Amino acid sequence: MEVLSGSAAHKGRTEKLAGYRLIPALQEYVLCSQNVPHVEVYRRSMEWHKEI
C-alpha cells in the first residue's frame, strides 16, 4: 500500500507499478490518495487493471 501526494501520484501509477509488476510474489498494489477519499487497487488476478 502506498499513500500518494499530488506530486507522486503519476510516478506511483506508472514507474512504480511497472516495477512492482515484475515481482512474482506481489499480488496487489494499493494506492491511496492523501488529500481525497480515493483508493486504487491493482491486482495480478485482474491482469493489473485498476479498480477504484
Side-chain angles (χ1 to χ4, degrees), residues 3-51:
V3 177
L4 298 176
S5 64
S7 61
H10 179 71
K11 185 174 183 177
R13 290 184 186 100
T14 57
E15 295 174 34
K16 288 186 177 185
L17 177 59
Y20 288 143
R21 289 174 63 168
L22 300 175
I23 302 170
L26 186 72
Q27 297 300 308
E28 293 184 350
Y29 178 48
V30 180
L31 299 171
C32 300
S33 176
Q34 179 180 357
N35 300 320
V36 295
H38 183 84
V39 176
E40 298 174 16
V41 180
Y42 297 85
R43 292 187 172 98
R44 183 177 298 278
S45 64
M46 299 295 291
E47 299 182 15
W48 299 110
H49 291 286
K50 176 174 60 176
E51 297 177 69

